[in-house]
Amino acid sequence: MSILADTRVSRRSLLAGAGAFGLASMVNPRISWSSDGPILKVRSYADIQTLDPCFRLAAPEGDITSVIFAGLVVTTPGDSWGWRPMAAETIKQLDPLTVAFQLRDNIGFTDGYGQMTAEDVKFSIERIADPANKSPYSGDWATLKEVEVKDKLSGLIHLKQAFAPLWTSTLPTPSGTILSKRAITELGGKMGVKPVAQSGPYILKEWLPKQRTVLVRNPDWKYEQGAFAEIHIHPIEDEKTAELGYEAGDLDYTWTAVSSISRLKQTPPPKTTVVEKPSLAFVWLGMNQDVAPFSNPNMRRAVQYAVDRKAVVDAAYFGAAATATGIIAPGLPGHREKNLFDFDPDRARDMIAKEGLAGTTITLDILNKTERLTAAQVVQSNLQDVGLNVEIKQNDSGTFWTLGAKEGDYWKKLQMIISRFSMQPDPSWATAWFTRDQIGVWNWERFSSEEFDKLNAEGMVELDQAKRDVIYKKLQDLMEENGNYVFLTHEVTGIMNRDTLVAGLKPNGEPVFTDFKPA
């Protein structure tokens, strides 16, 4: 799952080809044109590492796979969360355990892989759900029983139990993407960065690592056409760099730094629309309970008391973002009103002194971004004030998103991290990454709770929203009580685009590229 976050979100480098990037349109706020129509130039916060929806690492990869591979349904843009059919001609929930679908009859795969069929639907969904494939998104299909093929184009999705996130964070996301069974089988079961058997409104034309990904209209797509002949996606990790690129005329659309929103709203670049959207993402300070000194629960608690979350967030985001009370944002079931353990430096000093650990030096790993560094420096100051030394270690994205992986060795010395995960509009997408089977995958704090796992499973199958609210609040209580987490913020999303462009945005500001149109 996106938290499989901002996030999951790799959840990764400055446009290495800045030279080439800077040679583009320059101070020209008009949309560029190819011989076949307008070109949309957008910024993504991360480059691709895979285009396999089953193993995606970050939300920007999902933004692309959702365009080049057709899913049964797709998220619609607007201020409320919704979906519309894409590969499905019709799709309907017959009862809590059964979904019937009928595919459109002329969706083809590129590269000679023929027509999309119900067999491809069965293969794609069951592939993510199959524990043997070790997809980090298997939880999106946690209650899948099977996909039954009725005929060439229709079938039934059978669930073992009702599944609350089905229509919010599973079917409309890359976990609902349909791939060619034959193509993936011929690839040995896994696709990399060279997409095969594309089927969406756009197809990948070119990928230049750390420079750009170029999508072009799929000439065989028979349905709603994208408004742009080409979409150029530039991976620019740092928002400030992206803002400079936009102001130089090299981008039509970009996310901005949270800290820049107020300035840009007051004095936007010429012919620019600046938008602020609530974010579902979450940012936190994490402590690895399997590594000293945080193998001592009293040290974890002391850090919870020592960190002034408001000072951290105010400094990192210039007051534009609020502090978080957990990992579930306002508006979703399970959002908490307050934290269990808040800033109390005297209590932190007492606990550290009693443990005899005053003067201990701790490493804090962060992604090499301005906001993360500022946040880390405030944490460093907070902990120094209670008797702990902090060494900040900045990592590029390629390194950062491997730090806690069980395949490596660094997790054995990883102590503290500041991390951010992106989200989908269901609370299960926030909590799914902190179960025991996610230890060494996305659960880098190595938080381990049988009760958490049990409640997390219950939350996914509970359809009563009031009961879900209680469950997800308790899940965050368990995380905080164990001491591994200091919840920092959900941020906000700042966006600016040309007045000549109507951006297709989800309620949280994430892009739906097929819904971008010239104004």
Side-chain angles (χ1 to χ4, degrees):
M1 305 165 96
S2 150
I3 51 191
L4 303 185
D6 216 66
T7 62
R8 223 144 223 240
V9 236
S10 129
R11 289 171 188 240
R12 119 227 13 210
S13 168
L14 169 63
L15 188 67
F21 184 62
L23 291 175
S25 54
M26 301 308 291
V27 191
N28 186 350
R30 296 174 298 179
I31 292 172
S32 303
W33 288 75
S34 73
S35 58
D36 297 321
I39 297 173
L40 172 66
K41 296 176 294 184
V42 303
R43 174 245 176 179
S44 176
Y45 67 79
D47 202 358
I48 58 175
Q49 296 187 68
T50 177
L51 288 175
D52 191 329
C54 188
F55 301 102
R56 63 195 188 276
L57 298 170
E61 293 168 338
D63 295 338
I64 295 175
T65 59
S66 296
V67 172
I68 64 174
F69 299 113
L72 287 173
V73 303
V74 63
T75 300
T76 51
D79 292 328
S80 60
W81 290 96
W83 56 267
R84 64 171 180 253
M86 190 178 193
E89 181 71 35
T90 62
I91 184 166
K92 182 179 181 182
Q93 186 138 17
L94 303 180
D95 59 57
L97 302 183
T98 314
V99 174
F101 67 88
Q102 172 82 33
L103 290 175
R104 288 171 159 174
D105 66 2
N106 55 359
I107 294 181
F109 291 114
T110 63
D111 308 301
Y113 283 97
Q115 184 177 8
M116 180 183 290
T117 70
E119 283 287 353
D120 297 310
V121 177
K122 176 180 176 64
F123 168 79
S124 300
I125 291 176
E126 292 183 355
R127 174 175 178 251
I128 289 183
D130 186 350
N133 290 325
K134 298 181 179 179
S135 168
Y137 301 91
S138 60
D140 282 357
W141 289 104
T143 70
L144 179 73
K145 180 180 180 183
E146 65 171 338
V147 178
E148 177 187 357
V149 174
K150 302 293 287 185
D151 55 38
K152 182 179 179 180
L153 296 177
S154 68
L156 298 170
I157 298 172
H158 295 289
L159 304 177
K160 292 178 284 192
Q161 293 177 274
F163 192 58
L166 183 65
W167 296 95
T168 53
S169 60
T170 294
L171 280 170
T173 72
S175 291
T177 300
I178 310 307
L179 301 179
S180 164
K181 176 181 179 180
R182 181 160 67 93
I184 299 301
T185 302
E186 289 178 1
L187 286 171
K190 198 171 184 177
M191 185 163 51
V193 294
K194 294 181 179 179
V196 178
Q198 299 173 75
S199 59
Y202 286 87
I203 57 177
L204 188 143
K205 173 185 176 182
E206 177 184 60
W207 174 54
L208 299 174
K210 297 189 176 183
Q211 296 186 48
R212 66 178 183 178
T213 300
V214 177
L215 310 180
V216 297
R217 285 197 194 106
N218 181 354
D220 296 325
W221 179 254
K222 308 298 183 186
Y223 301 100
E224 302 86 354
Q225 294 288 326
F228 291 88
E230 297 184 7
I231 302 174
H232 295 189
I233 303 168
H234 298 272
I236 309 173
E237 196 166 286
D238 184 78
E239 288 88 354
K240 296 287 189 183
T241 303
E243 291 168 17
L244 294 174
Y246 178 91
E247 295 186 31
D250 296 323
L251 295 168
D252 302 312
Y253 153 92
T254 183
W255 277 15
T256 73
V258 175
S259 57
S260 299
I261 294 175
S262 178
R263 172 182 61 82
L264 290 170
K265 288 172 77 173
Q266 292 178 9
T267 55
K271 298 180 179 179
T272 292
T273 299
V274 178
V275 176
E276 179 180 336
K277 292 272 192 177
S279 173
L280 298 177
F282 50 96
V283 182
W284 74 96
L285 172 70
M287 289 163 270
N288 183 354
Q289 70 176 43
D290 285 351
V291 171
F294 299 119
S295 50
N296 179 342
N298 289 333
M299 281 297 287
R300 303 198 294 269
R301 183 75 75 238
V303 170
Q304 288 179 313
Y305 283 129
V307 174
D308 184 347
R309 297 179 305 109
K310 187 173 189 313
V312 173
V313 174
D314 283 351
Y317 301 102
F318 287 75
T323 54
T325 55
I327 57 177
I328 298 174
L332 293 180
H335 172 70
R336 302 191 307 177
E337 295 302 319
K338 62 180 181 180
N339 289 276
L340 302 180
F341 306 98
D342 220 333
F343 184 49
D344 189 341
D346 290 336
R347 203 163 184 175
R349 287 187 200 95
D350 289 344
M351 295 183 75
I352 292 167
K354 286 179 181 176
E355 299 301 325
L357 290 171
T360 299
T361 297
I362 302 163
T363 300
L364 172 56
D365 280 276
I366 62 168
L367 184 63
N368 185 15
K369 294 183 65 171
T370 303
E371 289 161 351
R372 301 284 194 284
L373 178 59
T374 303
Q377 288 171 332
V378 177
V379 170
Q380 182 183 50
S381 176
N382 286 162
L383 296 191
Q384 185 175 36
D385 184 53
V386 299
L388 299 175
N389 303 312
V390 174
E391 176 186 339
I392 299 171
K393 184 177 179 183
Q394 301 184 63
N395 302 271
D396 63 32
S397 56
T399 301
F400 180 81
W401 292 111
T402 66
L403 295 177
K406 57 188 173 187
E407 292 81 8
D409 291 327
Y410 191 80
W411 71 264
K412 298 176 183 175
K413 54 184 177 182
L414 181 66
Q415 294 177 311
M416 286 197 306
I417 56 169
I418 292 178
S419 196
R420 176 190 186 277
F421 280 177
S422 58
M423 256 292 276
Q424 295 291 340
D426 188 273
S428 65
W429 238 73
T431 57
W433 317 108
F434 302 100
T435 56
R436 287 179 296 177
D437 62 2
Q438 286 286 324
I439 291 175
V441 183
W442 292 117
N443 179 357
W444 293 358
E445 294 78 15
R446 307 180 76 83
F447 167 63
S448 178
S449 167
E450 182 177 352
E451 183 182 7
F452 183 95
D453 289 5
K454 180 174 179 291
L455 278 173
N456 186 62
E458 290 177 5
M460 287 192 291
V461 302
E462 177 56 66
L463 301 184
D464 185 308
Q465 293 302 310
K467 293 180 180 177
R468 296 193 87 206
D469 185 65
V470 173
I471 290 172
Y472 286 101
K473 285 175 176 171
K474 177 61 178 176
L475 285 168
Q476 293 165 98
D477 289 350
L478 290 173
M479 295 174 72
E480 195 171 1
E481 286 166 354
N482 204 59
N484 305 63
Y485 306 94
V486 179
F487 304 123
L488 295 177
T489 181
H490 296 288
E491 301 183 332
V492 292
T493 303
I495 296 152
M496 60 180 174
N497 58 260
R498 306 293 174 202
D499 288 344
T500 50
L501 174 69
V502 177
L505 302 175
K506 300 176 188 175
N508 64 345
E510 292 181 354
V512 184
F513 290 140
T514 51
D515 287 277
F516 278 60
K517 301 173 183 176

